[in-house]
Amino acid sequence: MTTSTPPIALSIAGSEATGGAGAQADLKTFEELGTFGIIALTCIVSFDPKNNWGHRFVPVAPQVIADQLEAVQAAYAGQLRTVKLGMMGTPDTIETVAAALENQEWANVVLDPVLICKGQEPGAALDTDQALQAKLLPKATFVTPNHFEAEALSGISISSVEDLKEAARLIFEKSGATVLAKGGVRLAGPDAVDVFYDGSTMEVLSTPKVGDVAVSGAGCTLAAAVTAELAKGVAPLQASINAKAFVTESIKNRVASAAPFEAVYQGGARR
Ligand code: PXL
């Protein structure tokens, strides 16, 4: 028995087999940032090296997702107050997760609104996107859309920091959740710009871009780092600032592979 228990952080997310993104990124981030990380798995994504590294996607059966969440919620009743929602993949999964979230009170529900993954066609998963907006967005206390997701959730096109701020405002109005909207490499200019908006404070967080190519797992890691910081009791804006610094180090220390994208390395922040 340890005398002091670390804060608990749960991620409900998919496995990305090469280890860069998804549940693997979440768990590594939770561990690095001093929380006790837990995963409930929603799906397994295995890129196909025989088919241009396209997506192979297998959902976990809804009952198995419900079983995992039942175990986690029973084991950590009273301690589990912070959850991150990553890739869901199907409307059935969203339904199952939304129902489980209602079994308890949450201090922090961080929604990374993964609409599509690298290798998927935009619009391929319209029913999933609609279910996410209808069933999970209203439960979120904090939401972390990337450029594409911010356009989808706000309904505006984003090509400047001013646009990203407007999108953050619109997403806050729609969801009531604190927004960290990520410009990433898709917003032109020398800096990686994210916009924080909580209904009163609008902050532009900016650091020099590490490169011009998106690195696998960066979005998952940023949202997981926000989740870990919130679980520790850090206030939302400071959590966002800390998370951005953490993901920047993880990108700087990225790992190359035979896959066509490099992967963030969370241990890099230790160096
Ligand atoms: O980066 C988004 C993402 C999240 N979760 C899983 C993924 C991906 C992208 O590949 O596979 C499981």
Side-chain angles (χ1 to χ4, degrees):
M1 265 303 263
T2 51
T3 47
S4 77
T5 313
I8 306 231
L10 168 65
S11 171
I12 306 175
S15 164
E16 189 275 275
T18 65
Q24 289 87 338
D26 292 345
L27 198 55
K28 287 182 263 188
T29 301
F30 289 167
E31 180 75 17
E32 284 294 327
L33 293 178
T35 57
F36 182 81
I38 302 177
I39 302 293
L41 213 58
T42 56
C43 61
I44 300 177
V45 170
S46 313
F47 299 121
D48 185 356
K50 302 185 298 309
N51 183 26
N52 204 21
W53 301 89
H55 260 213
R56 288 178 294 199
F57 164 82
V58 179
V60 172
Q63 186 58 52
V64 180
I65 298 172
D67 290 351
Q68 293 174 76
L69 291 168
E70 183 184 18
V72 175
Q73 289 180 311
Y76 296 102
Q79 296 180 71
L80 175 64
R81 308 195 44 78
T82 299
V83 62
K84 171 182 187 275
L85 309 177
M87 182 171 171
M88 297 289 138
T90 76
D92 280 353
T93 297
I94 289 168
E95 191 100 29
T96 304
V97 169
L101 290 178
E102 294 199 342
N103 291 335
Q104 65 165 94
E105 305 265 301
W106 300 94
N108 306 294
V109 176
V110 179
L111 174 63
D112 192 16
V114 180
L115 294 185
I116 54 161
C117 276
K118 291 175 196 67
Q120 273 186 301
E121 292 290 317
L126 197 59
D127 53 349
T128 303
D129 298 357
Q130 283 166 351
L132 190 114
Q133 294 201 39
K135 305 219 166 94
L136 294 181
L137 190 59
K139 297 191 187 309
T141 62
F142 198 111
V143 62
T144 59
N146 63 21
H147 180 263
F148 172 79
E149 293 151 356
E151 287 189 335
L153 293 177
S154 68
I156 65 169
S157 78
I158 300 168
S159 55
S160 67
V161 176
E162 283 312 306
D163 293 343
L164 196 60
K165 286 161 86 172
E166 181 58 16
R169 251 184 232 111
L170 290 165
I171 296 167
F172 173 82
E173 266 152 36
K174 173 173 185 166
S175 65
T178 296
V179 180
L180 184 61
K182 305 171 281 186
V185 296
R186 280 164 209 92
L187 219 52
D191 294 329
V193 177
D194 301 328
V195 167
F196 173 96
Y197 185 62
D198 66 1
S200 52
T201 300
M202 177 74 77
E203 279 282 330
V204 175
L205 310 181
S206 188
T207 51
K209 278 181 187 162
V210 177
D212 281 316
V213 181
V215 174
S216 177
C220 302
T221 298
L222 182 75
V226 166
T227 305
E229 294 298 286
L230 293 174
K232 292 189 286 189
V234 177
L237 176 56
Q238 191 60 48
S240 304
I241 292 167
N242 296 354
K244 189 166 171 68
F246 182 79
V247 79
T248 301
E249 282 308 305
S250 303
I251 293 169
K252 283 185 182 155
N253 291 281
R254 65 197 175 278
V255 172
S257 72
F261 31 80
E262 297 183 311
V264 287
Y265 175 50
Q266 292 81 3
R270 249 184 276 153
R271 290 182 184 152

